[in-house]
Amino acid sequence: MPSPRLIGKYIELVEYHLTTNQQRVLSTTFLPRPIGQLFTRRRAHSNASFSADELSHFNALASTWWDANGPSRLLHKMNPLRISFIFDTIDQYALPALSRACDLHMLDVGCGGGILTESLARNPRVASITGIDMSEDVLAVAQQHKKRDPALVSGGKLEYSLCSLLDLQIPKAASEGQQEERYDAVTLFEVLEHVPNPSAVLQAATERVRPGGWIFVSTVNRTAAAYLTTIFVGEKILKIVPEGTHTWSKYINERELREWFVEHKTNVPGSGEHWDIVRSEGCIYVPFVGWKFAGPRDLGNYFLAARRLE
Amino acid sequence: MRFCTRRATLRVHGAGARLYRKYLVRPRFSSTLASESVRGGQSGTQKSATASSTYSKIASSLYDVVIVGGGISGLSLAAGLKSSQYTSNLKIALVEGMPLASAKSWSPDPDRYSNRVSSITPASQRYLSQIGVWDHVYSERVQPYDDMRVWDGVSGARIHFDAFHLGTEDGTIAYMTENLNLQHALLSHLNDSPSDPPVMILDNTKVEAITKGQNFDDLDLSSWPALKLSTGDTIMARLLIGADGVRSPVRAFANIESRGWDYNQHGLVASLDMEWDDRQRIAWQRFLPTGPIALLPMPDGKASLVWSTTPKYAAHLKSLSASAFCTLVNAAFRLGMVDLEYLMSRVDEEEIREDFEWRDARLPIEAEGQQFPIRVVEVQEGSRASFPLRMRHCDTYVAPRIALVGDAAHTTHPLAGQGLNLGQGDVASLLRVVEKACQQGSDIGDEVVLQEYWAERYPVNHMMLGVIDKLQKLYCTDFPPIVGIRTVGLEVVESLDWVKKMIMKQAAGA
């Protein structure tokens, strides 16, 4: 009986040989998925229908989004981890001028029903938060839920907008000499594995961050282990994730994401931008306990934080 | 919306540095409903241009936390919330049906002690110190004890817990404190420590009804509990805490079921005077088939009695004269079961006294103060009272926007002195959960947030309640095989120091 390590190596080898060099997502570094094709229904290779499938799936989940004991329970349980990831990273790795910052203007891409967005709006360190999503029903649920909290209604920190990140305008500078107005932090939690063109989304996100600001990303690695846990066990066996939420072929490896940053955002002459990946952690869901930062970052779910140095 | 440009950041850092640094140290949860002055200090916060008109009309009746019940659990939670830097901005109301003025202005007679006393474990005492309440306790009325002697009335098997010998940390098993002392300390602390906004203590106010809030057009408060008070006001809570005792109306509103059973026993309490003050600081407990009798040391040669016995005996003991009562208490610690049963059935007080003196003369003199407590000579007038004993535990302690603490969540037999301490443990845990939620910006009434509190406390409480219940069942019988088994068990534990250490650590709430 070969050791688990050896079995793991075999699976990696098979994955490597089965993936092709098809240009799909992030330039040449994101490689799709003959293995994925074995396990998922074949989808038409057009951007429009990818989006339509995803949108209809999330629209159907809209009404139960805020049911803490419903299909979105795992999202609710992930919330404290996300918030602690954001602020612990900022505190630990921020440039001195920004440590313990209490004045953050943030953008939450793919805010969904607003679980994270509302918590950020109430957080004393956040000055304003804008949540955007493309799913109309889900955003309507978010707006409805916002009305349930007087702090959010009267606080004026929270705004929702039904649009895609690519369509979100960067407000122009008020006058000559000033920079364009950008965000202190942009969060893309569980977003990149649902969009048809993650590289464009990521590029647009980085353009909206001001120097010294942050991007926080969380997504899932495209590994056999991730398929096993998130789709097979999560969706089919335990049914703690609504079926059809995840598509294995759209998962993004942590290495690929880092390589994208290195290629596009580090010391690229002429762009004036320089980004630094400061933190990358794997996380796992422990049933009855919750989400914890544990495990290797190239195996299952992971969080990644990148900081714009200039 | 103005964003933070690089120049704006530099500007804040330069000119508003002091203001910035002030908020760098301790960002505070901006209370839902706090006034402008609290939020106004943070630079860059945009005042809402679209503030709801409904909100401005009802803002004064909205509270972040409403605690129903002004007992020790409720007051302790309010004090804890106010002491923590992350939660001190919350708008808190505490509703209590009885007047609290007498507890607040309590100036006790040094010769008289209240009959409602509790054994405060080191863990509870640490929590109360941490929130700054223990300083307000009248320490001359608190009796720490470091020795506990427990024995089986039927077989005589003994177990001796000695804090010094077993090397526990502070050498104290627990602190005997009057409940009034604690209540007074909590109210003093709430009164003295400045906080903005202060806790609204609505005493002498009953909760007439609890319903769901209203759904206005621009503000949907249908998930917020609304309390109709006897003053005619209605207040709404982001988080409603039920600290309202065994028959908790908040628990009924939350539709949480409480399971358990009644023991066919009443707990008789009394404040006693001992013959002389031997300064030994020993807690005594003897397990009789009708229920355990416990004598707990109080300062100045006084003691507190907790005698769990049948309702018939409890009524009989309350009806006796003071001297006959004291005789029977002494007898319960010294005599064999047959003799004791005989004495308890006597009605003539002179007969009781004579019979006991005759039997007592046949006991070795050196046993007094070592094997059983020294004599009780007096019982404080009006201090004899009894209450029925029961075991109750809720399925869950939380519901959306509702949490239960203390007796509302669980009730237990007093034989292990754990009832109040489990409540304090609940309060400390709930405080941590609310603190974390405020720090992160989560809604403190969110069910997922509150479930962490239930998940932390339920197993601990369940285990403790289970152990106490089994002990009660084990010792409230004189069936010989059971007596044999428990005697052997007790003697084995007595000889194993490490087991005793473990038991004491658990009981101390570590």
Side-chain angles (χ1 to χ4, degrees), chain B residues 226-280:
Chain B
L227 288 83
K228 186 160 186 310
L229 303 175
S230 56
T231 54
D233 299 322
T234 300
I235 58 176
M236 282 189 269
R238 180 187 284 275
L239 174 61
L240 176 64
I241 310 264
D244 42 0
V246 181
R247 285 183 211 88
S248 162
V250 173
R251 189 181 66 220
F253 167 71
N255 271 330
I256 294 175
E257 215 178 305
S258 177
R259 300 179 200 280
W261 42 82
D262 293 342
Y263 298 116
N264 190 19
Q265 284 180 356
H266 279 208
L268 175 72
V269 292
S271 303
L272 306 172
D273 282 6
M274 313 299 283
E275 193 170 13
W276 50 285
D277 184 2
D278 66 349
R279 298 189 185 276
Q280 275 202 301

Short mmCIF file of all heavy atoms in Angstrom, two decimals, chain B residues 226-280:
data_model
loop_
_atom_site.label_atom_id
_atom_site.label_comp_id
_atom_site.label_asym_id
_atom_site.label_seq_id
_atom_site.Cartn_x
_atom_site.Cartn_y
_atom_site.Cartn_z
N ALA B 226 -39.48 43.56 22.15
CA ALA B 226 -40.00 44.80 22.72
C ALA B 226 -40.60 44.48 24.08
O ALA B 226 -41.43 43.58 24.20
CB ALA B 226 -41.07 45.40 21.80
N LEU B 227 -40.16 45.20 25.11
CA LEU B 227 -40.64 44.93 26.46
C LEU B 227 -41.59 46.03 26.90
O LEU B 227 -41.21 47.21 26.88
CB LEU B 227 -39.47 44.88 27.45
CG LEU B 227 -38.55 43.68 27.40
CD1 LEU B 227 -37.49 43.84 26.33
CD2 LEU B 227 -37.90 43.46 28.73
N LYS B 228 -42.77 45.63 27.30
CA LYS B 228 -43.71 46.60 27.84
C LYS B 228 -43.53 46.61 29.35
O LYS B 228 -43.71 45.60 30.02
CB LYS B 228 -45.14 46.19 27.48
CG LYS B 228 -46.17 47.22 27.88
CD LYS B 228 -47.47 47.05 27.10
CE LYS B 228 -48.44 48.18 27.39
NZ LYS B 228 -48.65 48.46 28.81
N LEU B 229 -43.18 47.78 29.89
CA LEU B 229 -42.86 47.87 31.31
C LEU B 229 -44.07 48.36 32.09
O LEU B 229 -44.99 48.96 31.53
CB LEU B 229 -41.70 48.84 31.52
CG LEU B 229 -40.42 48.49 30.76
CD1 LEU B 229 -39.38 49.58 30.96
CD2 LEU B 229 -39.87 47.15 31.21
N SER B 230 -44.02 48.11 33.40
CA SER B 230 -45.14 48.52 34.24
C SER B 230 -45.23 50.04 34.35
O SER B 230 -46.24 50.58 34.78
CB SER B 230 -45.03 47.90 35.63
OG SER B 230 -43.79 48.25 36.21
N THR B 231 -44.16 50.74 33.96
CA THR B 231 -44.21 52.21 33.97
C THR B 231 -44.97 52.75 32.78
O THR B 231 -45.20 53.95 32.67
CB THR B 231 -42.80 52.80 33.94
OG1 THR B 231 -42.13 52.24 32.81
CG2 THR B 231 -42.04 52.50 35.20
N GLY B 232 -45.30 51.85 31.84
CA GLY B 232 -46.01 52.29 30.65
C GLY B 232 -45.12 52.45 29.43
O GLY B 232 -45.59 52.52 28.30
N ASP B 233 -43.79 52.49 29.66
CA ASP B 233 -42.89 52.62 28.52
C ASP B 233 -42.71 51.30 27.82
O ASP B 233 -42.91 50.23 28.40
CB ASP B 233 -41.51 53.10 29.00
CG ASP B 233 -41.59 54.45 29.68
OD1 ASP B 233 -42.39 55.28 29.20
OD2 ASP B 233 -40.89 54.65 30.68
N THR B 234 -42.27 51.39 26.61
CA THR B 234 -41.86 50.20 25.88
C THR B 234 -40.43 50.39 25.44
O THR B 234 -40.09 51.42 24.85
CB THR B 234 -42.75 49.98 24.64
OG1 THR B 234 -44.09 49.84 25.07
CG2 THR B 234 -42.33 48.73 23.88
N ILE B 235 -39.60 49.43 25.74
CA ILE B 235 -38.20 49.52 25.28
C ILE B 235 -37.89 48.33 24.40
O ILE B 235 -38.46 47.26 24.54
CB ILE B 235 -37.20 49.58 26.46
CG1 ILE B 235 -37.33 48.36 27.37
CG2 ILE B 235 -37.41 50.86 27.26
CD1 ILE B 235 -36.31 48.34 28.48
N MET B 236 -36.96 48.56 23.46
CA MET B 236 -36.59 47.48 22.53
C MET B 236 -35.12 47.17 22.67
O MET B 236 -34.31 48.08 22.91
CB MET B 236 -36.94 47.90 21.11
CG MET B 236 -38.43 47.75 20.86
SD MET B 236 -38.84 47.97 19.14
CE MET B 236 -39.15 49.69 19.13
N ALA B 237 -34.77 45.93 22.49
CA ALA B 237 -33.41 45.49 22.78
C ALA B 237 -32.77 44.84 21.57
O ALA B 237 -33.38 44.01 20.91
CB ALA B 237 -33.42 44.49 23.94
N ARG B 238 -31.52 45.21 21.33
CA ARG B 238 -30.75 44.50 20.31
C ARG B 238 -30.43 43.11 20.86
O ARG B 238 -30.45 42.12 20.14
CB ARG B 238 -29.46 45.27 20.02
CG ARG B 238 -28.57 44.64 18.99
CD ARG B 238 -27.26 45.40 18.90
NE ARG B 238 -27.41 46.64 18.20
CZ ARG B 238 -27.35 46.77 16.87
NH1 ARG B 238 -27.12 45.72 16.13
NH2 ARG B 238 -27.49 47.94 16.31
N LEU B 239 -30.12 43.06 22.16
CA LEU B 239 -29.86 41.79 22.81
C LEU B 239 -30.59 41.79 24.14
O LEU B 239 -30.37 42.65 24.97
CB LEU B 239 -28.36 41.60 23.04
CG LEU B 239 -27.94 40.36 23.85
CD1 LEU B 239 -28.37 39.09 23.15
CD2 LEU B 239 -26.42 40.35 24.06
N LEU B 240 -31.46 40.82 24.30
CA LEU B 240 -32.23 40.70 25.54
C LEU B 240 -31.63 39.59 26.37
O LEU B 240 -31.49 38.45 25.91
CB LEU B 240 -33.69 40.38 25.21
CG LEU B 240 -34.64 40.14 26.38
CD1 LEU B 240 -34.77 41.39 27.23
CD2 LEU B 240 -36.01 39.72 25.87
N ILE B 241 -31.25 39.92 27.60
CA ILE B 241 -30.62 38.93 28.48
C ILE B 241 -31.63 38.52 29.53
O ILE B 241 -32.18 39.38 30.23
CB ILE B 241 -29.39 39.51 29.18
CG1 ILE B 241 -28.48 40.18 28.19
CG2 ILE B 241 -28.69 38.44 29.99
CD1 ILE B 241 -27.37 39.38 27.68
N GLY B 242 -31.88 37.24 29.66
CA GLY B 242 -32.75 36.75 30.71
C GLY B 242 -31.92 36.34 31.91
O GLY B 242 -31.28 35.28 31.90
N ALA B 243 -31.90 37.21 32.93
CA ALA B 243 -31.21 36.84 34.17
C ALA B 243 -32.26 36.83 35.26
O ALA B 243 -32.02 37.28 36.39
CB ALA B 243 -30.12 37.87 34.47
N ASP B 244 -33.45 36.35 34.89
CA ASP B 244 -34.62 36.55 35.74
C ASP B 244 -35.05 35.31 36.48
O ASP B 244 -36.22 35.12 36.76
CB ASP B 244 -35.77 37.13 34.91
CG ASP B 244 -35.90 36.47 33.54
OD1 ASP B 244 -35.08 35.57 33.23
OD2 ASP B 244 -36.79 36.86 32.78
N GLY B 245 -34.11 34.43 36.81
CA GLY B 245 -34.41 33.37 37.76
C GLY B 245 -35.10 32.17 37.15
O GLY B 245 -35.26 32.04 35.95
N VAL B 246 -35.55 31.31 38.06
CA VAL B 246 -36.02 30.00 37.65
C VAL B 246 -37.25 30.08 36.73
O VAL B 246 -37.34 29.38 35.73
CB VAL B 246 -36.35 29.15 38.88
CG1 VAL B 246 -36.81 27.78 38.47
CG2 VAL B 246 -35.15 29.05 39.79
N ARG B 247 -38.18 30.94 37.10
CA ARG B 247 -39.39 31.02 36.26
C ARG B 247 -39.22 32.19 35.30
O ARG B 247 -39.90 33.20 35.41
CB ARG B 247 -40.62 31.25 37.14
CG ARG B 247 -41.04 30.01 37.89
CD ARG B 247 -42.30 30.25 38.69
NE ARG B 247 -42.32 29.43 39.89
CZ ARG B 247 -41.79 29.79 41.04
NH1 ARG B 247 -41.22 30.97 41.16
NH2 ARG B 247 -41.82 28.98 42.08
N SER B 248 -38.27 32.04 34.39
CA SER B 248 -37.86 33.18 33.58
C SER B 248 -38.89 33.50 32.48
O SER B 248 -39.15 32.68 31.61
CB SER B 248 -36.51 32.84 32.95
OG SER B 248 -36.24 33.66 31.87
N PRO B 249 -39.48 34.71 32.52
CA PRO B 249 -40.38 35.09 31.42
C PRO B 249 -39.66 35.24 30.08
O PRO B 249 -40.24 34.97 29.04
CB PRO B 249 -40.94 36.44 31.87
CG PRO B 249 -40.59 36.59 33.30
CD PRO B 249 -39.40 35.73 33.56
N VAL B 250 -38.40 35.64 30.14
CA VAL B 250 -37.64 35.77 28.88
C VAL B 250 -37.48 34.40 28.23
O VAL B 250 -37.59 34.25 27.02
CB VAL B 250 -36.26 36.41 29.15
CG1 VAL B 250 -35.41 36.41 27.91
CG2 VAL B 250 -36.43 37.82 29.67
N ARG B 251 -37.25 33.40 29.06
CA ARG B 251 -37.11 32.06 28.52
C ARG B 251 -38.42 31.59 27.90
O ARG B 251 -38.43 30.95 26.85
CB ARG B 251 -36.68 31.09 29.63
CG ARG B 251 -36.30 29.72 29.15
CD ARG B 251 -35.91 28.81 30.29
NE ARG B 251 -37.02 28.53 31.16
CZ ARG B 251 -36.97 28.47 32.48
NH1 ARG B 251 -35.83 28.68 33.10
NH2 ARG B 251 -38.03 28.20 33.20
N ALA B 252 -39.52 31.93 28.54
CA ALA B 252 -40.83 31.57 28.00
C ALA B 252 -41.06 32.26 26.67
O ALA B 252 -41.56 31.67 25.72
CB ALA B 252 -41.92 31.95 28.99
N PHE B 253 -40.67 33.53 26.58
CA PHE B 253 -40.83 34.27 25.33
C PHE B 253 -40.00 33.65 24.23
O PHE B 253 -40.41 33.59 23.06
CB PHE B 253 -40.44 35.73 25.55
CG PHE B 253 -40.28 36.52 24.29
CD1 PHE B 253 -41.39 36.86 23.52
CD2 PHE B 253 -39.03 36.92 23.85
CE1 PHE B 253 -41.25 37.58 22.35
CE2 PHE B 253 -38.89 37.64 22.68
CZ PHE B 253 -39.99 37.97 21.93
N ALA B 254 -38.81 33.17 24.58
CA ALA B 254 -37.93 32.59 23.57
C ALA B 254 -38.33 31.17 23.22
O ALA B 254 -37.71 30.54 22.36
CB ALA B 254 -36.49 32.59 24.09
N ASN B 255 -39.35 30.64 23.89
CA ASN B 255 -39.80 29.27 23.63
C ASN B 255 -38.70 28.24 23.86
O ASN B 255 -38.58 27.28 23.11
CB ASN B 255 -40.27 29.13 22.17
CG ASN B 255 -41.73 29.47 22.07
OD1 ASN B 255 -42.49 29.26 23.01
ND2 ASN B 255 -42.10 30.02 20.95
N ILE B 256 -37.91 28.49 24.87
CA ILE B 256 -36.85 27.54 25.17
C ILE B 256 -37.34 26.65 26.29
O ILE B 256 -37.85 27.11 27.30
CB ILE B 256 -35.57 28.28 25.62
CG1 ILE B 256 -35.01 29.09 24.45
CG2 ILE B 256 -34.52 27.30 26.12
CD1 ILE B 256 -33.83 29.96 24.82
N GLU B 257 -37.18 25.35 26.07
CA GLU B 257 -37.70 24.45 27.08
C GLU B 257 -36.66 24.15 28.13
O GLU B 257 -35.46 24.01 27.85
CB GLU B 257 -38.12 23.14 26.42
CG GLU B 257 -39.33 22.57 27.08
CD GLU B 257 -39.80 21.30 26.42
OE1 GLU B 257 -40.04 21.33 25.21
OE2 GLU B 257 -39.92 20.29 27.15
N SER B 258 -37.14 24.04 29.36
CA SER B 258 -36.24 23.76 30.46
C SER B 258 -36.60 22.40 31.02
O SER B 258 -37.75 22.16 31.37
CB SER B 258 -36.45 24.85 31.53
OG SER B 258 -35.66 24.58 32.64
N ARG B 259 -35.65 21.51 31.07
CA ARG B 259 -35.94 20.15 31.48
C ARG B 259 -35.33 19.87 32.84
O ARG B 259 -34.27 20.37 33.18
CB ARG B 259 -35.34 19.18 30.47
CG ARG B 259 -35.89 19.36 29.09
CD ARG B 259 -35.27 18.39 28.11
NE ARG B 259 -35.44 18.87 26.76
CZ ARG B 259 -36.57 18.75 26.06
NH1 ARG B 259 -37.60 18.15 26.60
NH2 ARG B 259 -36.66 19.22 24.84
N GLY B 260 -35.99 19.02 33.58
CA GLY B 260 -35.43 18.63 34.87
C GLY B 260 -36.49 18.05 35.75
O GLY B 260 -37.55 17.64 35.29
N TRP B 261 -36.18 18.00 37.03
CA TRP B 261 -37.12 17.42 37.97
C TRP B 261 -36.99 18.11 39.31
O TRP B 261 -36.02 18.80 39.58
CB TRP B 261 -36.86 15.91 38.14
CG TRP B 261 -35.41 15.58 38.21
CD1 TRP B 261 -34.59 15.65 39.29
CD2 TRP B 261 -34.59 15.11 37.13
NE1 TRP B 261 -33.31 15.27 38.96
CE2 TRP B 261 -33.28 14.94 37.64
CE3 TRP B 261 -34.84 14.84 35.78
CZ2 TRP B 261 -32.23 14.50 36.85
CZ3 TRP B 261 -33.78 14.40 34.99
CH2 TRP B 261 -32.48 14.23 35.53
N ASP B 262 -38.02 17.92 40.13
CA ASP B 262 -37.98 18.45 41.49
C ASP B 262 -37.45 17.38 42.41
O ASP B 262 -37.83 16.21 42.32
CB ASP B 262 -39.39 18.84 41.95
CG ASP B 262 -39.93 20.02 41.15
OD1 ASP B 262 -39.12 20.72 40.51
OD2 ASP B 262 -41.15 20.22 41.17
N TYR B 263 -36.58 17.78 43.32
CA TYR B 263 -36.19 16.85 44.37
C TYR B 263 -37.26 16.92 45.44
O TYR B 263 -37.81 17.97 45.71
CB TYR B 263 -34.85 17.27 44.98
CG TYR B 263 -33.71 17.24 43.97
CD1 TYR B 263 -33.05 18.42 43.63
CD2 TYR B 263 -33.31 16.06 43.37
CE1 TYR B 263 -32.01 18.41 42.71
CE2 TYR B 263 -32.28 16.04 42.46
CZ TYR B 263 -31.64 17.22 42.13
OH TYR B 263 -30.62 17.21 41.22
N ASN B 264 -37.53 15.86 46.07
CA ASN B 264 -38.52 15.91 47.14
C ASN B 264 -37.84 16.43 48.41
O ASN B 264 -37.86 15.78 49.46
CB ASN B 264 -39.10 14.51 47.37
CG ASN B 264 -40.30 14.56 48.29
OD1 ASN B 264 -40.90 15.61 48.48
ND2 ASN B 264 -40.63 13.42 48.88
N GLN B 265 -37.23 17.60 48.27
CA GLN B 265 -36.46 18.17 49.38
C GLN B 265 -36.64 19.66 49.41
O GLN B 265 -36.85 20.30 48.38
CB GLN B 265 -34.96 17.87 49.20
CG GLN B 265 -34.57 16.44 49.53
CD GLN B 265 -33.09 16.20 49.33
OE1 GLN B 265 -32.35 17.07 48.88
NE2 GLN B 265 -32.63 15.02 49.68
N HIS B 266 -36.52 20.20 50.61
CA HIS B 266 -36.46 21.65 50.76
C HIS B 266 -35.11 22.03 51.31
O HIS B 266 -34.55 21.29 52.14
CB HIS B 266 -37.55 22.12 51.74
CG HIS B 266 -38.89 22.22 51.11
ND1 HIS B 266 -39.86 23.10 51.54
CD2 HIS B 266 -39.44 21.56 50.06
CE1 HIS B 266 -40.95 22.99 50.80
NE2 HIS B 266 -40.72 22.05 49.89
N GLY B 267 -34.58 23.13 50.89
CA GLY B 267 -33.33 23.62 51.44
C GLY B 267 -33.65 24.59 52.57
O GLY B 267 -34.24 25.64 52.36
N LEU B 268 -33.25 24.20 53.77
CA LEU B 268 -33.49 25.06 54.93
C LEU B 268 -32.23 25.85 55.21
O LEU B 268 -31.15 25.28 55.35
CB LEU B 268 -33.86 24.19 56.13
CG LEU B 268 -34.04 24.89 57.46
CD1 LEU B 268 -35.33 25.69 57.46
CD2 LEU B 268 -34.07 23.88 58.60
N VAL B 269 -32.35 27.16 55.29
CA VAL B 269 -31.18 27.99 55.58
C VAL B 269 -31.40 28.72 56.90
O VAL B 269 -32.54 28.97 57.30
CB VAL B 269 -30.91 29.03 54.46
CG1 VAL B 269 -30.47 28.33 53.19
CG2 VAL B 269 -32.10 29.90 54.20
N ALA B 270 -30.28 29.02 57.55
CA ALA B 270 -30.37 29.77 58.80
C ALA B 270 -29.01 30.39 59.08
O ALA B 270 -27.99 29.91 58.60
CB ALA B 270 -30.78 28.84 59.94
N SER B 271 -29.01 31.46 59.87
CA SER B 271 -27.74 32.06 60.32
C SER B 271 -27.54 31.66 61.77
O SER B 271 -28.41 31.89 62.62
CB SER B 271 -27.82 33.58 60.23
OG SER B 271 -28.12 33.98 58.94
N LEU B 272 -26.39 31.08 62.06
CA LEU B 272 -26.16 30.49 63.38
C LEU B 272 -24.99 31.15 64.08
O LEU B 272 -24.08 31.70 63.46
CB LEU B 272 -25.86 28.99 63.22
CG LEU B 272 -26.88 28.16 62.44
CD1 LEU B 272 -26.36 26.77 62.20
CD2 LEU B 272 -28.19 28.13 63.19
N ASP B 273 -25.01 31.04 65.41
CA ASP B 273 -23.85 31.44 66.22
C ASP B 273 -23.23 30.19 66.80
O ASP B 273 -23.93 29.35 67.38
CB ASP B 273 -24.30 32.33 67.38
CG ASP B 273 -24.57 33.75 66.91
OD1 ASP B 273 -24.52 33.97 65.68
OD2 ASP B 273 -24.83 34.62 67.75
N MET B 274 -21.93 30.08 66.71
CA MET B 274 -21.25 28.93 67.28
C MET B 274 -20.92 29.21 68.75
O MET B 274 -20.97 30.35 69.20
CB MET B 274 -19.96 28.64 66.51
CG MET B 274 -20.14 28.64 65.02
SD MET B 274 -21.29 27.38 64.46
CE MET B 274 -20.27 25.94 64.57
N GLU B 275 -20.51 28.16 69.43
CA GLU B 275 -20.22 28.31 70.85
C GLU B 275 -19.03 29.23 71.06
O GLU B 275 -19.03 30.08 71.94
CB GLU B 275 -19.93 26.94 71.45
CG GLU B 275 -19.93 26.95 72.96
CD GLU B 275 -19.87 25.54 73.53
OE1 GLU B 275 -19.57 24.60 72.75
OE2 GLU B 275 -20.13 25.39 74.73
N TRP B 276 -18.00 29.04 70.26
CA TRP B 276 -16.86 29.96 70.33
C TRP B 276 -16.19 29.95 68.96
O TRP B 276 -16.41 29.09 68.14
CB TRP B 276 -15.87 29.55 71.43
CG TRP B 276 -15.46 28.11 71.41
CD1 TRP B 276 -16.21 27.05 71.81
CD2 TRP B 276 -14.21 27.57 70.98
NE1 TRP B 276 -15.52 25.88 71.65
CE2 TRP B 276 -14.27 26.17 71.13
CE3 TRP B 276 -13.03 28.13 70.47
CZ2 TRP B 276 -13.23 25.33 70.81
CZ3 TRP B 276 -11.99 27.28 70.14
CH2 TRP B 276 -12.09 25.88 70.31
N ASP B 277 -15.37 30.96 68.74
CA ASP B 277 -14.77 31.14 67.42
C ASP B 277 -13.45 30.39 67.38
O ASP B 277 -12.46 30.85 67.94
CB ASP B 277 -14.56 32.64 67.17
CG ASP B 277 -14.02 32.91 65.79
OD1 ASP B 277 -13.85 31.95 65.00
OD2 ASP B 277 -13.77 34.09 65.48
N ASP B 278 -13.44 29.23 66.75
CA ASP B 278 -12.19 28.46 66.75
C ASP B 278 -11.27 28.84 65.59
O ASP B 278 -10.21 28.25 65.41
CB ASP B 278 -12.48 26.95 66.73
CG ASP B 278 -13.14 26.52 65.42
OD1 ASP B 278 -13.54 27.40 64.63
OD2 ASP B 278 -13.26 25.31 65.19
N ARG B 279 -11.68 29.80 64.77
CA ARG B 279 -10.87 30.33 63.67
C ARG B 279 -10.31 29.25 62.76
O ARG B 279 -9.23 29.41 62.21
CB ARG B 279 -9.71 31.18 64.21
CG ARG B 279 -10.18 32.36 64.99
CD ARG B 279 -9.03 33.31 65.33
NE ARG B 279 -9.52 34.38 66.19
CZ ARG B 279 -10.12 35.47 65.73
NH1 ARG B 279 -10.28 35.64 64.44
NH2 ARG B 279 -10.56 36.38 66.56
N GLN B 280 -11.07 28.19 62.63
CA GLN B 280 -10.51 27.09 61.85
C GLN B 280 -10.88 27.17 60.37
O GLN B 280 -10.26 26.53 59.57
CB GLN B 280 -10.99 25.75 62.42
CG GLN B 280 -10.13 25.27 63.57
CD GLN B 280 -10.24 23.77 63.74
OE1 GLN B 280 -11.34 23.26 63.97
NE2 GLN B 280 -9.15 23.06 63.63
#
